[in-house]
Amino acid sequence: SQDFSAYDLINTYSEEKLADVFYYYGEERYSRRLARNILEQRKSKKIETTNELCEIIKKSLPYKNSRTNPATRIFQAIRIEVNGELKNVEHTLKKVVPFLEKDARIVVITFHSLEDRIVKRIFKEFSTVKNLETGGCEEKTLELVNKKPIDPTDEEIKENPPSRSAKLRVAKKL
């Protein structure tokens, strides 16, 4: 069981910290306004339900005819923060790569741009020669198999609509 929840995040984070979570993990332009409105609501009572939070989101964000509900990005941001998802992706990749055997392939499928940026950065770190402070040279560990991510085909998206946001990256251990 987890000690930290979405309830805790919404009801205890500072305005600045809430805004940062919404901005960085939900890519929400109006994150500051939303955070301010959440703190304003907390002055009178804690936010107890998702419906209460949805009402605050609706009042805070100017999206009226958006294809997706703006609350979707906010709930994504909350989920990522509560579960430490992006930290887990980075931590796991950095731990796994050194254990790969020569010529092994590491294949990662990401489902949103935040994850994909992390995978791209880590693959790049492991596929670049680094100079050490001692003046020595550290050899690169990975070779990118595909420079650009592989996207699903139109046929695949038709058969499996959630695949539309998937990106596949492949690297080979040297």
Side-chain angles (χ1 to χ4, degrees), residues 134-149:
T134 59
C137 214
E138 186 180 317
E139 290 192 26
K140 57 185 187 174
T141 318
L142 292 177
E143 177 181 79
L144 300 179
V145 172
N146 55 326
K147 301 275 186 256
K148 300 261 182 218

Side-chain angles (χ1 to χ4, degrees), residues 82-94:
V82 168
N83 296 335
E85 290 176 19
L86 299 180
K87 290 176 191 102
N88 288 339
V89 169
E90 183 164 359
H91 177 77
T92 302
L93 279 175
K94 285 182 173 180

Side-chain angles (χ1 to χ4, degrees), residues 5-37:
S5 68
Y7 175 89
D8 299 322
L9 181 146
I10 291 298
N11 286 295
T12 64
Y13 270 27
S14 68
E15 182 177 328
E16 184 181 1
K17 204 164 176 188
L18 277 173
D20 285 349
V21 167
F22 302 148
Y23 183 79
Y24 292 111
Y25 298 156
E27 300 178 298
E28 177 51 61
R29 299 193 337 213
Y30 299 97
S31 62
R32 305 262 171 248
R33 181 192 302 176
L34 175 57
R36 195 171 33 255
N37 290 344

Side-chain angles (χ1 to χ4, degrees), residues 12-154:
T12 64
Y13 270 27
S14 68
E15 182 177 328
E16 184 181 1
K17 204 164 176 188
L18 277 173
D20 285 349
V21 167
F22 302 148
Y23 183 79
Y24 292 111
Y25 298 156
E27 300 178 298
E28 177 51 61
R29 299 193 337 213
Y30 299 97
S31 62
R32 305 262 171 248
R33 181 192 302 176
L34 175 57
R36 195 171 33 255
N37 290 344
I38 287 172
L39 261 73
E40 196 56 43
Q41 171 65 42
R42 282 185 354 204
K43 285 179 185 174
S44 55
K45 81 176 218 39
K46 288 191 181 224
I47 299 162
E48 302 281 343
T49 69
T50 54
N51 283 339
E52 288 173 7
L53 181 57
C54 281
E55 283 306 309
I56 298 168
I57 293 168
K58 212 185 294 179
K59 288 177 195 156
S60 304
L61 306 181
Y63 307 108
K64 297 290 179 242
N65 300 321
S66 178
R67 274 190 350 198
T68 57
N69 186 331
T72 304
R73 282 194 312 282
I74 302 308
F75 283 103
Q76 169 188 295
I78 292 168
R79 187 196 75 228
I80 288 170
E81 174 72 6
V82 168
N83 296 335
E85 290 176 19
L86 299 180
K87 290 176 191 102
N88 288 339
V89 169
E90 183 164 359
H91 177 77
T92 302
L93 279 175
K94 285 182 173 180
K95 289 282 188 203
V96 165
V97 170
F99 286 103
L100 296 174
E101 292 191 18
K102 184 177 173 13
D103 294 328
R105 296 217 187 319
I106 181 165
V107 178
V108 180
I109 299 174
T110 59
F111 291 95
H112 57 73
S113 59
L114 299 170
E115 290 174 330
D116 190 57
R117 272 183 233 139
I118 290 170
V119 174
K120 179 182 178 179
R121 180 176 49 79
I122 291 171
F123 276 14
K124 188 175 181 186
E125 281 174 23
F126 278 105
S127 65
T128 309
V129 176
K130 299 177 195 117
N131 287 322
L132 302 175
E133 292 93 56
T134 59
C137 214
E138 186 180 317
E139 290 192 26
K140 57 185 187 174
T141 318
L142 292 177
E143 177 181 79
L144 300 179
V145 172
N146 55 326
K147 301 275 186 256
K148 300 261 182 218
I150 299 168
D151 295 320
T153 62
D154 291 341

Side-chain angles (χ1 to χ4, degrees), residues 67-68 111 151-153 156-157 160-167:
R67 274 190 350 198
T68 57
F111 291 95
D151 295 320
T153 62
E156 185 175 355
I157 293 170
N160 179 14
S163 73
R164 74 186 177 282
S165 60
K167 299 213 176 291

